Amino acid sequence: MASNKDSFGRTLFIVVGLCLICAIFVSTAAVLLRPTQAENKLLDKQKYILEAAGLIDTKAGKVTKAQILDTYGKHIEAKLVDLKTGAWVEGVGVDADTYDQRKASRDVKTSFVPENDIASVKRVADKAVVYLVRDGQGKLTSVILPIHGYGLWSTMYAFLAMDADLNTVQSLVYYEHGETPGLGGEVQNAQWKAKWHGKKLFDEQGKLAISVTKNPTVASTEYGVDALSGATLTSNGVQHSLTFWLGKEGFASFIEKARNGGLN
């Protein structure tokens, strides 16, 4: 009697075999592509840092990999800072350019839970990256801080670029978020981003004064920026991010030390 080639056991064997082969292909591809993915992720971050520094214009057309690497290498210096002391972190064998601050914030050994988590960051890495921007003669032209905080739907990540006085805003560039397109997503709108240029973060007494507001009178001052229309919670998220990261559990110690010659 001929064997039943369409038996359940034979079908199950073929299905399992195909699944195993596919799993091997997918796993192999993931491993082989991991270095390329990491490289592209770093390149994308460097592009936004250069945009925040005003060194490239992503709206003018496609920026090549060579342009990003060349401009970044000439003008940007990434350094690690201890958030609690505000001092540079030296000799730890960690490359500031590839340091994964998000990963460090998820590790209880390298992070802390903030007491006043107004930005809903949950945990904060002990060490953060600061980007120093220099011109062709080596003069410091700006300092860029990575900040983030929760909006309406998502955690929003941005680079805050300041003049060397660490008070005057050059730009606020959001590069990753999940806010509503046309509403909270307008944090990436060029017209809204332009409103930040020249604004002051701290008043003459050194108190944080920047305000994302619906009050046109306040928004017209050097300490005010118009809130996004129809996106109150996203606008609040921007304000809370600035309040937290420029506060004592963020970069406040670094800013104070830098103003006293700590960048020299």
Side-chain angles (χ1 to χ4, degrees), residues 63-77:
V63 182
T64 67
K65 176 181 178 180
Q67 288 175 314
I68 294 173
L69 292 176
D70 180 62
T71 307
Y72 188 93
K74 288 180 179 178
H75 298 283
I76 308 295
E77 179 186 9

Side-chain angles (χ1 to χ4, degrees), residues 67-162:
Q67 288 175 314
I68 294 173
L69 292 176
D70 180 62
T71 307
Y72 188 93
K74 288 180 179 178
H75 298 283
I76 308 295
E77 179 186 9
K79 300 190 70 173
L80 284 179
V81 63
D82 186 308
L83 288 181
K84 293 183 178 179
T85 66
W88 296 126
V89 178
E90 307 285 0
V92 294
V94 178
D95 183 355
D97 277 312
T98 57
Y99 171 68
D100 193 336
Q101 192 168 323
R102 296 192 202 182
K103 182 178 179 180
S105 70
R106 295 192 294 267
D107 189 337
V108 295
K109 297 179 181 179
T110 56
S111 64
F112 63 92
V113 177
E115 294 180 4
N116 183 23
D117 191 9
I118 189 173
S120 298
V121 297
K122 307 303 181 186
R123 299 192 70 89
V124 178
D126 297 327
K127 302 176 182 63
V129 185
V130 171
Y131 300 93
L132 305 181
V133 186
R134 303 184 188 278
D135 62 18
Q137 289 70 48
K139 179 183 177 181
L140 183 71
T141 58
S142 59
V143 178
I144 300 177
L145 306 179
I147 68 172
H148 66 275
Y150 207 80
L152 172 60
W153 303 112
S154 66
T155 298
M156 306 182 295
Y157 295 88
F159 290 116
L160 172 65
M162 305 169 289

Side-chain angles (χ1 to χ4, degrees), residues 7-18:
S7 67
F8 174 77
R10 182 181 179 84
T11 301
L12 181 62
F13 175 79
I14 293 174
V15 170
V16 171
L18 286 173

